[in-house]
Amino acid sequence: MGILDLGRYKGIVFAITGFLVFMAIIMAVNHGKAGQFSDNVAGVRFLENRAQQPHAVYDAGLQLAQRLENGEKIDDALEALRKATNTFETSLSGLANGGMISDSTGDIVVLPAMTTKEAVVQLREGSKLWDSYRVKIDPVLRFSGSPYVATQPAPAPAPAATNGKNAAAVAAPAPAAPTVQLSPRGRRLQAALNDLNQFGAAAHGQLGKLLLDMSARVEADSRKQTDTLRYIQIGGMVAALLLLGAIFLFFARNLRKEEASSNRQRKETQDILRTVNEGLFLLDKDLKLGSERSMALNAIFRREDFLDLTFDKLLKDIVPEKTLRTAMDYVALLWGERVNEKLVKTINPLNEVEVHFDNPAGGFDTHFLEFDFNRVKSEGSLSHLLVTVNDVTKRVMLSRELQESQEKAQAQLDLLLRILHVEPDSLTSFLTDADVSLKMVNSILKEPAREESAFRAKIDGIYRQVHAVKGEAAALGLKTVEQRAHAFEESLNDLKGRPSLSGSDFLPLVVKLDDLFNHLAQVREMLSRLVDLHHAIATRRTAGGEVGAEKVDQWLAGQDQTQITKAIIAPPDLGETTGAIGGLERTLEDLAARVASSQAKQVNLRCAGLDGVPEAYRRAVKDITIQLVRNAVVHGIEEPSERTKVNKAAAGALAVEFTPRGTDGYELIVQDDGRGLQLERIKEVAVERGLITPAQAAMLDPRQTMALIFRPGFSTADRVTTDAGRGAGMDLVRILVAELGGRVGLASAGGKFSKFKIWLPATQSAVAA
Amino acid sequence: MMTKVELETFVEGTTHYFATAANQPASVGSPYIVQEGRPTVQEFTGLISIAGKRRGIVYFTASRPMLTVMLMRMGETELTQENMCDLVGEVANTISGNARRDFGKDFMISVPTVLAGEPEKIVTPDNIRSFVIPINWRSHSAQLVVCLE
């Protein structure tokens, strides 16, 4: 703001300036008049003083005449006359020349009263009179030397100085002594003196009066000045009061107008702040909230009291510390003078911030707030931040729901692609079994345990369940399930290797268990959708629907599998006649094909009698056959090149047969034409894995050697994969068979075949067992 | 998905309390999952709510006999219900403190609330499995229940 840019104060500044100028003028006039007044006083005093001067001249003349008559010295009397004459003449000349006088200090003072017309006329007349008087005086003053004859004795000294009157009084009764002899010059002087004194007798009074008149005139002028001064002062004061009143009225009216306008603006602002939906407030440099804010802020922040609140305190209890710190850093950034506001706005971390309000009923109420910051500049510098807050919970929730639903749809699509190749019944059967297995795992976990032995005992039980899930998932090609189960097994192995165990060590297991439960639930949901889809298509087809429906049926029936030569093809009519075992056959085929593919081998699987497996053995037979088929492909069947070398077909033959034996129960045979059990290799591995000592190995007969493969932890695979390597599979077979009260037989001929023969008791005995 | 680290943080908070305040360490039992229905609630429960990166509740629930012994071992002679409530509240507070220390920057953790009985007041998020971790102390067993989305 420039110095003359007075804004709203322009009026008052001008008014006060005018008032002061007016007062200055009054004071100046006052001062001038007061100065004149003192000049007049000096003039009166001067004129009264000078009014005596004509009398002094006259007295001096008389005294001079008296001396002359008495024969006394006349020098001093002559000098007195000269002096009186000069003084009066100077005074009169000053007065006549513009009313100038000299005051007591010798300064020249001009008396305006002397310049009036009347005074000038009067002075002129006075001057004339004086001039005439002067004509009489001059011959006297020109006298020099002695007026007496030279023979005359020395004149008597002059009497003591007396004033003119006394001198006259003295002179009058004392006539000149007859003895005085005047020289001719003396006589001329005497004559001039007589002439002077005669003239002076009348003139001195007139001249004295003239000066007294002048004095009276000045005094009158002075009185007039005084009156004028009084009027000016009274007038000035009245005018000043009127001016003040006018200023007051003017500003009172303006003030009222401004107040009304300001009240209206304030009310409008308040109306806006009361009704606006956004939370609005100002932040100062100390990050303190301003006193004006919108009412919506109360609802947004669930508080009434914002007095002396700082921004960090506003957020502190409703956002996590990390968010708070980010927010404060960001706000600090906004205070920088050289900040590009638009650019900074693009990185606003508070444009969708999650806040949590304490719920009186317990817990938190979560909302999403959107903060927007605008820099408020005043006089070119940053004065405040205007903060706008919106509750965008609904928008965010909708957006998140949409995003979640999209992500879920994407995840489901991925999952769908992974399970599309699996025959639905096999999948249903797997999901049921897996659910049972996982619940079993949870039950095992739930059994109270305090001692280490109790914890350790849980591991094997859990292992078997998870391994079964993994095996079946692998058989079905459910890679995602298989990987999760595999990770679970890894954790179990880790626990097995630990010297001591406690509940804390089992925490990773429950986390993985939870993950498996979740994943299987997703698979189940997808399966359910697939079945729904199948039914929908089937309905359309029966109603004369489209040919494309058959293709979906084929997918659902798993008929798009081309990797394997199928010995048995399941009836395509799903969900009606296909039993769980039909599903097992396909499962085994898929498994054999997948494992063969991963091992670069070829295999033909032949299944027989699996549809005759009693319900009581269904699960066990499935788990057992899965393990044995996988083992056969991984360990038994040779690679095609190796097989052709020994005159075998490139594709290995693998047979699974389930045969009822009447009261003797059931016989399950899994046989391959592979390389058979390699007894020496089994011994080596058993020694390597610490299952037996080298000495014991040397003592083992073939039957004992073959039994080693059923020991927990035995595997001849070089590395652990999802297909083999941990040595749990054969142990699982042994345990499953033992649990059912059955027996396992094993026959093998090196380079020719391996044959697992499992005997299971009749169902009744199985149930009884 | 719940992570091992998160579970460990809550468990450590609980065992830390026993080791320091109850003058005798507690052992962690075998953890398990509750899929359907409500997880165990004993006579006294100290509960904290969590929001932010995760949302849900964590509570410590114990029986009156266990709390009685704990109070006695802590030198408390007044074995009142209030003191037992305070005790489970303190355990919840320690769990909360531990959680704040480990991942407080991402989480909002409520002030502990204490319930004497009243299992109906414990509301777990829908469709979320709860993790139950038994906390064995002397011959007693309390439970730490973690139920987070």
Side-chain angles (χ1 to χ4, degrees), chain A residues 543-654:
Chain A
E546 297 159 22
V547 183
E550 285 171 14
K551 198 162 185 180
V552 178
D553 269 354
Q554 285 170 357
W555 282 347
L556 294 171
Q559 288 178 9
D560 61 333
Q561 302 296 300
T562 50
Q563 303 97 317
I564 186 165
T565 309
K566 293 185 179 173
I568 298 167
I569 296 174
D573 197 2
L574 295 166
E576 291 166 17
T577 57
T578 306
I581 292 300
L584 174 60
E585 287 169 2
R586 272 193 297 280
T587 301
L588 294 178
E589 287 160 7
D590 291 349
L591 173 68
R594 194 185 56 72
V595 176
S597 168
S598 71
Q599 303 269 326
K601 295 177 181 176
Q602 293 174 17
V603 61
N604 282 330
L605 174 67
R606 184 177 61 83
C607 294
L610 288 179
D611 50 354
V613 178
E615 185 59 29
Y617 292 151
R618 192 183 61 78
R619 175 76 200 277
V621 167
K622 186 164 84 172
D623 290 345
I624 292 165
T625 49
I626 283 171
Q627 294 301 332
L628 292 181
V629 166
R630 181 159 53 198
N631 268 9
V633 180
V634 174
H635 301 292
I637 307 288
E638 311 91 331
E639 288 172 7
S641 55
E642 196 180 326
R643 286 178 66 84
T644 47
K645 274 185 200 165
V646 292
N647 295 324
K648 288 184 182 176
L654 179 57

Side-chain angles (χ1 to χ4, degrees), chain B residues 92-107:
Chain B
N93 209 18
T94 313
I95 295 169
S96 159
N98 224 41
R100 262 181 235 277
R101 186 200 64 203
D102 284 7
F103 32 72
K105 283 172 189 155
D106 296 320
F107 282 31

Side-chain angles (χ1 to χ4, degrees), chain A residues 395-577:
Chain A
R395 188 187 78 195
V396 174
M397 294 310 282
L398 277 175
S399 140
R400 289 202 174 178
E401 273 173 28
L402 184 65
Q403 192 183 348
E404 274 172 20
S405 110
Q406 282 172 344
E407 282 171 1
K408 195 174 172 189
Q410 184 60 46
Q412 284 179 338
L413 182 63
D414 291 345
L415 200 56
L416 179 68
L417 293 173
R418 286 178 187 278
I419 66 171
L420 258 183
H421 66 277
V422 184
E423 193 270 319
D425 280 347
S426 302
L427 197 52
T428 307
S429 164
F430 163 72
L431 288 173
T432 309
D433 294 343
D435 193 51
V436 170
S437 290
L438 295 185
K439 281 181 177 163
M440 181 65 82
V441 169
N442 199 33
S443 297
I444 295 170
L445 284 171
K446 196 173 176 181
E447 282 167 20
R450 284 172 180 257
E451 305 304 323
E452 195 192 328
S453 56
F455 283 114
R456 208 166 281 283
K458 289 171 187 280
I459 296 177
D460 289 337
I462 295 170
Y463 203 107
R464 281 196 292 276
Q465 298 296 334
V466 175
H467 196 74
V469 172
K470 176 183 154 184
E472 196 172 351
L476 291 173
L478 291 170
K479 203 77 185 167
T480 52
V481 181
E482 187 189 358
Q483 281 164 349
R484 282 172 170 79
H486 185 71
F488 202 125
E489 282 186 352
E490 299 267 9
S491 294
L492 285 166
N493 272 322
D494 176 45
L495 292 190
K496 269 186 185 174
R498 292 195 186 182
S500 65
L501 285 176
S502 79
S504 298
D505 300 322
F506 281 66
L507 291 175
L509 297 190
V510 277
V511 172
K512 288 193 165 70
L513 181 61
D514 181 52
D515 183 34
L516 262 174
F517 269 129
N518 276 332
H519 189 67
L520 290 179
Q522 288 169 358
V523 174
R524 193 173 293 113
E525 190 185 334
M526 279 319 298
L527 175 65
S528 151
R529 289 190 181 197
L530 271 179
V531 171
D532 286 349
L533 179 66
H534 163 68
H535 285 310
I537 291 169
T539 309
R540 289 181 68 179
R541 189 180 51 190
T542 45
E546 297 159 22
V547 183
E550 285 171 14
K551 198 162 185 180
V552 178
D553 269 354
Q554 285 170 357
W555 282 347
L556 294 171
Q559 288 178 9
D560 61 333
Q561 302 296 300
T562 50
Q563 303 97 317
I564 186 165
T565 309
K566 293 185 179 173
I568 298 167
I569 296 174
D573 197 2
L574 295 166
E576 291 166 17
T577 57

Side-chain angles (χ1 to χ4, degrees), chain A residues 9-21 243 246-247 250-251:
Chain A
Y9 299 107
K10 198 156 98 182
I12 198 163
V13 169
F14 283 151
I16 289 174
T17 308
F19 179 75
L20 290 175
V21 167
L243 199 54
I247 291 173
F250 176 74
F251 285 107

Side-chain angles (χ1 to χ4, degrees), chain A residues 666-677:
Chain A
Y666 302 91
E667 194 176 74
L668 173 66
I669 293 171
V670 179
Q671 183 172 354
D672 66 76
D673 67 344
R675 59 169 72 92
L677 293 179

